[in-house]
Amino acid sequence: MNPTARRAPATLAEVARAAGVHPSTVSRALGAGTGIAAATVVRVRAVADELGYRPDPAASSLRTRRSGLVGVLVPRLTDIVLATIYEGLDAIAADAGYQTFVANTSDVPEVRRRRLAALLDRRVDGVVLGDARLDDDLLPEIAARGLPYVLVSRRSRGHLSVTTDDLLGGRLAGEHLLALGHERVAVVAGQPFSSTGVERTQGFRDAYAAAGLPVPDERVRHGTYDVRGGHAAARELLAARPRPTAVFAVNDFNAIGVMGALREAGLRVGRDVAVVGYNDVSLAAELPVPLTSVASPMDQMGRTGMTRLLQRAAGQPVRSVRLRPTLVVRESSSPDGG
Amino acid sequence: MNPTARRAPATLAEVARAAGVHPSTVSRALGAGTGIAAATVVRVRAVADELGYRPDPAASSLRTRRSGLVGVLVPRLTDIVLATIYEGLDAIAADAGYQTFVANTSDVPEVRRRRLAALLDRRVDGVVLGDARLDDDLLPEIAARGLPYVLVSRRSRGHLSVTTDDLLGGRLAGEHLLALGHERVAVVAGQPFSSTGVERTQGFRDAYAAAGLPVPDERVRHGTYDVRGGHAAARELLAARPRPTAVFAVNDFNAIGVMGALREAGLRVGRDVAVVGYNDVSLAAELPVPLTSVASPMDQMGRTGMTRLLQRAAGQPVRSVRLRPTLVVRESSSPDGG
DNA sequence: GGGTCCCTCGAAATCGATTGCGAAACTCGT
DNA sequence: ACGAGTTTCGCAATCGATTTCGAGGGACCC
């Protein structure tokens, strides 16, 4: 009846006794139901329901070597981007009868390794990595183990991944600022070991280089993917003279940090310095000065990522996916609407 | 050596054979080590390391009835507040040798029940609930099961919880706006079933009532704890004439939604309408118009929550904790610094 | 020197579900 | 009515770790 109200859950053997059959019969009846008389299946299932039977995953996992768990590694769940991707992952996993097991790695290799080991100890049936590095020594190990895995958000050469087309996204941002006439621009470039930051920056610089206005290295600053990182990077970039007239941040939270740094410097967002972010998180549109941002389908990235993982685990051939980003122009780059 | 590089992990029996002892000896040597000669312990551990032995949690859990898992239920991980609390929970759990198992419930009772059942099926050793309801029918069931549990963020009468003093927090916000001379104020009050929204609203209204300016019900609007909810609520509140001169939102993301609604109505944040939020998330200080907010120690709430849970599981007496919030004044309520 | 106690470790049962194998019962055709 | 083939289900082993019980051996005391 009510599965949460029982003290000691019934076991297979108890169900078997109550139904007057052998435990193996119960196991089969509750499973595919093949090789068992239809009437028996119905009866056993009724008894199991009656007793509120819930299989013990530990016992099941011990015997079958499958845990029903999918491990997920992310840099931080406090990063809304990853949290949103995770929700997409979890939704599809739940539909397929899997549970997700998530862990923060803080983008620290040593922590990553430890957290992954913990997931492997739990005998997860697959792994989703949201914190892949461009030169990632963990990925070959996972591959060598034969464990199904997929990367989301970030990619790494030679590994299955679901990402957005970050080169294109960066280019969109660059072309937008070019069209607005910005000739001296700066980039808050994120972490140098993550494909997202690197490729978004690359696409942006490509656009400027193609226009004959290459962005010099000193106008590109790396940092963590949070408000603080954006603020710190922008403070340095804004100290240059002449000052850049626009800043592209490869992450919306970085962009908000940039806004804070602008304010601190007595500059107005959009009017004195244009700001463009990336991901178009839900609050970008609601800020006192709405943020221009490259929208990336985060939820879909999660859903597609888990779908690919499950397909791969089922032995189907799968290829990496690059989802298409789109530019959303708002007042932080275009205060007068154009 | 390298735990992630082995294909088939060694078992206890294999370690025993390699060490020339019985499996039970290995088990004891790797455990507390009591009742075993010190030399044997050292030797067995060395062999276990050598073989990269990792105990199978399924087997262990089957036998001991303990899973080493702590379940965590949250409304949504995309809510930074809960994500931050979760990180605090996880940090302490990890220190104590536990892993956390988190699930979103979307604040939907049916989903909560299902997710909790999934955690119980996994035989979690304890549960942290971040989505408690004022009239919560799940909590008595958990209590009846004898499973250790603790509430964080939200509280519910008669159950162990770690929260901030939300009545006080609301009062701080109210007294602040009163001191600034705001007489016609509105509240974005969050979900009516969550103690956070209810108590913050109550504290705020208490302050105004004490000043002889009770806040009428029509200037209090409920909604979800996200940007969209804040925007929707504020849109309605701002349609009233005369218009409120200040809005208290019980959540920072709601407050940002309020900012969006203000902009949409052609009003300036701080100058035309004051805005006060709650939680003081990291981006509040960085917004183009920095947000006045009631700071709550989210990370500490998580840490304290897990600590209490572990103490409770160990049979120690524990009492609910209310952490102290503090007001951080910024330009959204005080554009000229006073 | 004999007895007792403690230290150390092995034997074997156990947790709960799954599954290969085989036996009984039943269907059906002739 | 009998044999071949099928359906249905029970038996028992198994996954890997833990733990109770007891045996063997050494230390120690008188």
Side-chain angles (χ1 to χ4, degrees):
Chain A
M1 188 88 63
N2 188 337
T4 67
R6 301 188 56 80
R7 212 159 228 294
T11 69
L12 239 203
E14 287 167 9
V15 175
R17 200 169 333 118
V21 296
H22 194 271
S24 63
T25 304
V26 176
S27 177
R28 285 185 269 253
L30 296 180
T34 58
I36 298 290
T40 308
V41 171
V42 171
R43 184 163 47 87
V44 168
R45 290 197 175 156
V47 172
D49 267 9
E50 181 66 27
L51 294 176
Y53 170 70
R54 316 247 56 188
D56 184 329
S60 172
S61 167
L62 176 60
R63 177 64 221 244
T64 63
R65 326 286 301 140
R66 275 176 290 106
S67 61
L69 293 176
V70 174
V72 180
L73 291 183
V74 297
R76 317 204 62 169
L77 279 172
T78 45
D79 179 343
I80 287 190
V81 177
L82 270 301
T84 306
I85 292 173
Y86 168 72
E87 290 190 359
L89 289 167
D90 185 62
I92 297 298
D95 287 350
Y98 284 93
Q99 290 179 257
T100 58
F101 198 77
V102 66
N104 285 337
T105 66
S106 307
D107 263 335
V108 176
E110 170 54 23
V111 177
R112 285 186 81 206
R113 185 170 285 278
R114 209 166 51 229
R115 291 295 208 160
L116 175 64
L119 292 180
L120 296 178
D121 286 351
R122 290 271 171 201
R123 308 295 194 266
V124 292
D125 297 330
V127 180
V128 180
L129 294 108
D131 63 347
R133 298 178 153 247
L134 287 172
D135 188 12
D136 198 316
D137 55 340
L138 226 45
L139 300 181
E141 294 182 18
I142 300 175
R145 264 186 166 250
L147 187 69
Y149 68 101
V150 65
L151 317 186
V152 294
S153 182
R154 305 179 186 170
R155 61 201 198 105
S156 189
R157 191 157 196 78
H159 301 279
L160 179 66
S161 64
V162 178
T163 63
T164 54
D165 188 337
D166 290 318
L167 273 174
L168 172 59
R171 190 137 38 83
L172 291 176
E175 286 165 0
H176 170 61
L177 290 177
L178 274 169
L180 292 173
H182 291 283
E183 301 196 342
R184 202 169 49 253
V185 296
V187 182
V188 175
Q191 303 277 27
F193 51 75
S194 79
S195 70
T196 46
V198 169
E199 295 185 358
R200 290 168 194 173
T201 301
Q202 186 62 46
F204 184 86
R205 294 178 88 170
D206 285 351
Y208 264 83
L213 295 165
V215 181
D217 287 346
E218 63 267 24
R219 285 215 297 271
V220 176
R221 278 284 186 289
H222 292 283
T224 55
Y225 289 113
D226 54 16
V227 173
R228 180 189 306 260
H231 189 116
R235 192 195 311 239
E236 294 182 21
L237 291 168
L238 292 172
R241 293 291 177 277
R243 198 164 39 220
T245 65
V247 178
F248 170 49
V250 300
N251 173 287
D252 280 348
F253 286 84
N254 280 347
I256 290 172
V258 172
M259 288 178 163
L262 286 176
R263 224 188 50 76
E264 188 180 70
L267 299 165
R268 291 168 302 173
V269 175
R271 295 205 152 331
D272 299 321
V273 176
V275 178
V276 175
Y278 203 108
N279 282 138
D280 192 27
V281 298
S282 63
L283 48 76
E286 307 276 334
L287 300 175
V289 180
L291 177 65
T292 295
S293 187
V294 179
S296 63
M298 299 173 285
D299 185 72
Q300 196 197 331
M301 202 186 306
R303 291 173 172 271
T304 306
M306 184 57 71
T307 304
R308 287 291 176 280
L309 177 66
L310 295 175
Q311 290 173 338
R312 185 179 204 178
Q316 298 173 34
V318 284
R319 295 176 52 184
S320 290
V321 178
R322 313 205 72 174
L323 301 170
R324 198 175 183 76
T326 55
L327 181 73
V328 181
V329 178
R330 301 201 183 91
E331 296 186 18
S332 71
S333 69
S334 180
D336 304 309
Chain B
M1 187 93 58
N2 186 338
T4 68
R6 300 188 55 80
R7 210 159 230 294
T11 69
L12 239 204
E14 287 166 11
V15 175
R17 201 168 333 120
V21 297
H22 194 271
S24 63
T25 304
V26 177
S27 176
R28 284 186 272 251
L30 297 180
T34 58
I36 298 288
T40 309
V41 170
V42 171
R43 184 163 46 88
V44 168
R45 289 196 176 158
V47 173
D49 267 8
E50 181 66 27
L51 294 177
Y53 170 71
R54 316 247 57 188
D56 185 330
S60 172
S61 166
L62 177 61
R63 178 64 222 240
T64 63
R65 327 285 304 142
R66 274 176 291 105
S67 62
L69 292 177
V70 174
V72 179
L73 290 183
V74 297
R76 318 204 61 172
L77 280 172
T78 46
D79 180 342
I80 287 189
V81 177
L82 269 302
T84 306
I85 292 173
Y86 168 72
E87 290 190 358
L89 290 167
D90 185 62
I92 297 299
D95 286 350
Y98 285 93
Q99 293 183 57
T100 58
F101 197 74
V102 65
N104 285 336
T105 66
S106 306
D107 263 335
V108 175
E110 171 55 23
V111 177
R112 286 185 80 206
R113 185 169 284 278
R114 211 166 50 230
R115 292 295 208 161
L116 174 64
L119 293 179
L120 297 177
D121 287 350
R122 290 272 170 201
R123 308 296 194 265
V124 292
D125 298 331
V127 180
V128 180
L129 294 108
D131 62 346
R133 299 178 153 247
L134 288 173
D135 187 12
D136 200 315
D137 55 341
L138 225 45
L139 299 181
E141 294 183 17
I142 300 175
R145 264 186 166 249
L147 187 69
Y149 68 100
V150 64
L151 317 187
V152 294
S153 182
R154 305 180 186 171
R155 63 201 197 104
S156 189
R157 190 157 196 79
H159 301 278
L160 179 66
S161 63
V162 178
T163 62
T164 54
D165 188 336
D166 289 319
L167 273 174
L168 171 58
R171 189 137 38 83
L172 291 176
E175 287 165 359
H176 170 60
L177 290 177
L178 275 169
L180 291 173
H182 291 281
E183 304 196 340
R184 203 168 49 253
V185 296
V187 182
V188 175
Q191 303 277 28
F193 50 77
S194 78
S195 70
T196 47
V198 169
E199 294 185 359
R200 289 167 195 174
T201 300
Q202 186 63 47
F204 184 86
R205 294 178 87 171
D206 285 352
Y208 263 83
L213 295 165
V215 181
D217 287 346
E218 62 267 24
R219 285 215 297 273
V220 176
R221 278 283 186 289
H222 293 284
T224 55
Y225 289 112
D226 54 16
V227 173
R228 182 189 305 260
H231 189 115
R235 193 196 311 239
E236 295 182 22
L237 292 168
L238 293 173
R241 292 294 176 275
R243 198 165 35 221
T245 65
V247 178
F248 170 48
V250 300
N251 172 287
D252 280 349
F253 285 84
N254 280 346
I256 290 173
V258 172
M259 288 178 164
L262 286 176
R263 224 188 49 76
E264 188 180 71
L267 299 166
R268 291 167 303 174
V269 175
R271 305 206 97 76
D272 299 321
V273 177
V275 179
V276 174
Y278 204 107
N279 281 139
D280 193 26
V281 298
S282 64
L283 47 77
E286 306 277 333
L287 301 175
V289 180
L291 177 66
T292 294
S293 187
V294 180
S296 63
M298 299 173 284
D299 185 71
Q300 197 197 331
M301 204 187 303
R303 291 173 172 272
T304 306
M306 184 58 71
T307 304
R308 287 292 176 280
L309 177 66
L310 295 175
Q311 288 173 338
R312 184 179 204 176
Q316 298 173 33
V318 284
R319 292 177 52 184
S320 291
V321 178
R322 314 205 71 175
L323 301 171
R324 198 175 182 79
T326 55
L327 180 72
V328 181
V329 177
R330 300 201 183 90
E331 296 186 18
S332 72
S333 68
S334 180
D336 304 309

Coordinates of all heavy atoms in Angstrom, one line a residue, chain A residues 261-293:
Chain A
A261 N 32.0 45.3 -11.8 CA 33.2 46.0 -11.9 C 33.0 47.4 -12.6 O 33.7 48.4 -12.3 CB 34.2 45.1 -12.7
L262 N 32.1 47.4 -13.6 CA 31.8 48.6 -14.3 C 31.3 49.7 -13.3 O 31.7 50.8 -13.3 CB 30.8 48.4 -15.4 CG 31.4 47.7 -16.6 CD1 30.2 47.4 -17.6 CD2 32.4 48.5 -17.3
R263 N 30.4 49.2 -12.5 CA 29.7 50.1 -11.5 C 30.8 50.7 -10.6 O 30.8 51.8 -10.3 CB 28.7 49.3 -10.8 CG 27.4 50.1 -10.6 CD 26.5 49.3 -9.6 NE 27.3 48.9 -8.4 CZ 27.5 49.8 -7.5 NH1 27.1 51.0 -7.5 NH2 28.2 49.4 -6.4
E264 N 31.6 49.7 -10.2 CA 32.7 50.1 -9.2 C 33.6 51.2 -9.9 O 34.1 52.1 -9.2 CB 33.5 48.9 -8.9 CG 34.6 49.0 -7.9 CD 35.3 47.7 -7.7 OE1 36.1 47.3 -8.6 OE2 35.1 47.0 -6.7
A265 N 33.8 51.1 -11.2 CA 34.6 52.1 -11.9 C 33.8 53.3 -12.3 O 34.4 54.2 -13.0 CB 35.2 51.4 -13.1
G266 N 32.6 53.4 -11.9 CA 31.8 54.6 -12.2 C 31.3 54.6 -13.7 O 31.0 55.6 -14.2
L267 N 31.3 53.4 -14.3 CA 30.8 53.3 -15.7 C 29.5 52.8 -15.8 O 29.0 51.9 -15.0 CB 31.8 52.5 -16.5 CG 33.3 53.0 -16.5 CD1 34.2 51.9 -17.0 CD2 33.4 54.2 -17.4
R268 N 28.7 53.2 -16.8 CA 27.4 52.7 -17.0 C 27.4 51.5 -18.0 O 27.9 51.6 -19.1 CB 26.5 53.8 -17.5 CG 26.2 54.9 -16.5 CD 25.6 56.1 -17.2 NE 26.4 56.5 -18.3 CZ 26.0 57.5 -19.2 NH1 24.9 58.0 -19.1 NH2 26.9 57.9 -20.2
V269 N 26.7 50.4 -17.6 CA 26.6 49.2 -18.4 C 25.7 49.6 -19.7 O 24.7 50.2 -19.6 CB 25.9 48.1 -17.7 CG1 25.6 46.9 -18.6 CG2 26.6 47.7 -16.5
G270 N 26.3 49.3 -20.8 CA 25.5 49.5 -22.1 C 25.9 50.8 -22.7 O 26.1 51.0 -23.9
R271 N 25.9 51.9 -21.8 CA 26.2 53.2 -22.4 C 27.7 53.5 -22.5 O 28.2 53.9 -23.6 CB 25.5 54.3 -21.5 CG 24.0 54.2 -21.5 CD 23.4 55.5 -21.1 NE 22.0 55.8 -21.6 CZ 21.4 55.4 -22.7 NH1 22.0 54.6 -23.5 NH2 20.2 55.8 -23.0
D272 N 28.4 53.3 -21.4 CA 29.8 53.5 -21.5 C 30.6 52.3 -22.0 O 31.5 52.4 -22.8 CB 30.4 53.9 -20.1 CG 29.7 55.1 -19.6 OD1 29.5 56.1 -20.4 OD2 29.4 55.2 -18.4
V273 N 30.2 51.1 -21.5 CA 30.8 49.9 -22.0 C 29.7 48.8 -22.2 O 28.9 48.6 -21.4 CB 31.8 49.3 -20.9 CG1 32.3 48.0 -21.3 CG2 32.9 50.3 -20.6
A274 N 29.8 48.2 -23.4 CA 28.8 47.2 -23.8 C 29.2 45.9 -23.1 O 30.4 45.6 -23.0 CB 28.7 47.0 -25.3
V275 N 28.2 45.1 -22.7 CA 28.5 43.8 -22.1 C 27.7 42.7 -22.8 O 26.5 42.9 -23.0 CB 28.2 43.8 -20.6 CG1 28.5 42.4 -20.0 CG2 29.0 44.8 -19.9
V276 N 28.4 41.6 -23.2 CA 27.7 40.5 -23.8 C 28.0 39.2 -23.0 O 29.2 39.0 -22.7 CB 28.0 40.3 -25.2 CG1 27.4 39.0 -25.8 CG2 27.6 41.5 -26.1
G277 N 27.0 38.4 -22.6 CA 27.3 37.2 -21.8 C 27.0 36.0 -22.7 O 26.9 36.0 -23.9
Y278 N 27.0 34.8 -22.0 CA 26.8 33.6 -22.7 C 25.9 32.6 -21.8 O 26.2 32.5 -20.6 CB 28.1 32.9 -23.0 CG 28.1 32.0 -24.2 CD1 28.7 32.3 -25.4 CD2 27.4 30.7 -24.0 CE1 28.6 31.4 -26.4 CE2 27.4 29.8 -25.1 CZ 28.0 30.2 -26.3 OH 28.0 29.3 -27.4
N279 N 24.9 32.0 -22.4 CA 24.0 31.0 -21.8 C 22.6 31.5 -21.7 O 21.6 30.8 -21.7 CB 24.4 30.5 -20.5 CG 25.6 29.5 -20.6 OD1 26.5 29.5 -19.8 ND2 25.5 28.6 -21.5
D280 N 22.4 32.8 -21.6 CA 21.1 33.4 -21.4 C 20.3 32.7 -20.3 O 19.2 32.2 -20.5 CB 20.3 33.3 -22.7 CG 19.0 34.2 -22.7 OD1 19.0 35.2 -21.9 OD2 18.1 33.9 -23.4
V281 N 20.9 32.8 -19.1 CA 20.2 32.2 -18.0 C 18.9 33.1 -17.7 O 18.9 34.2 -18.2 CB 21.1 32.2 -16.7 CG1 22.2 31.3 -17.0 CG2 21.5 33.6 -16.3
S282 N 18.0 32.6 -16.9 CA 16.7 33.2 -16.9 C 16.7 34.6 -16.3 O 15.9 35.4 -16.6 CB 15.8 32.4 -16.0 OG 16.2 32.3 -14.7
L283 N 17.7 34.9 -15.5 CA 17.7 36.3 -14.9 C 18.3 37.3 -15.8 O 18.2 38.5 -15.6 CB 18.4 36.3 -13.5 CG 19.7 35.6 -13.3 CD1 20.8 36.5 -13.9 CD2 19.9 35.4 -11.8
A284 N 19.0 36.9 -16.9 CA 19.6 37.9 -17.8 C 18.7 38.9 -18.3 O 19.0 40.1 -18.4 CB 20.3 37.1 -19.0
A285 N 17.4 38.5 -18.6 CA 16.4 39.4 -19.2 C 15.9 40.3 -18.2 O 15.2 41.3 -18.5 CB 15.3 38.6 -19.8
E286 N 16.1 40.0 -16.9 CA 15.4 40.7 -15.8 C 16.2 41.8 -15.1 O 15.7 42.5 -14.2 CB 14.8 39.8 -14.8 CG 14.0 38.6 -15.4 CD 12.5 39.1 -15.6 OE1 12.1 40.0 -14.9 OE2 11.9 38.5 -16.5
L287 N 17.5 41.8 -15.4 CA 18.4 42.7 -14.7 C 18.0 44.1 -15.0 O 17.3 44.5 -16.0 CB 19.8 42.4 -15.2 CG 20.4 41.0 -15.0 CD1 21.7 40.9 -15.6 CD2 20.4 40.7 -13.5
P288 N 18.4 45.0 -14.1 CA 18.1 46.4 -14.2 C 18.5 46.9 -15.6 O 17.9 47.7 -16.3 CB 18.8 47.1 -13.1 CG 18.9 46.1 -12.0 CD 19.0 44.7 -12.7
V289 N 19.7 46.4 -16.0 CA 20.1 46.6 -17.4 C 20.1 45.2 -18.0 O 21.1 44.4 -17.7 CB 21.5 47.3 -17.6 CG1 21.8 47.4 -19.1 CG2 21.5 48.6 -16.9
P290 N 19.1 44.8 -18.8 CA 19.1 43.5 -19.3 C 20.3 43.1 -20.1 O 20.9 44.0 -20.8 CB 17.8 43.5 -20.2 CG 17.0 44.6 -19.7 CD 18.0 45.6 -19.2
L291 N 20.7 41.9 -20.0 CA 22.0 41.4 -20.5 C 21.8 40.8 -21.9 O 21.1 39.8 -22.1 CB 22.6 40.4 -19.6 CG 23.9 39.7 -20.0 CD1 25.0 40.8 -20.0 CD2 24.3 38.6 -19.0
T292 N 22.6 41.3 -22.9 CA 22.7 40.6 -24.2 C 23.5 39.3 -23.9 O 24.5 39.3 -23.2 CB 23.5 41.5 -25.1 OG1 22.7 42.7 -25.4 CG2 23.7 40.7 -26.4
S293 N 23.0 38.2 -24.5 CA 23.6 36.9 -24.2 C 23.4 36.0 -25.4 O 22.5 36.1 -26.1 CB 23.0 36.4 -22.9 OG 23.7 35.2 -22.5

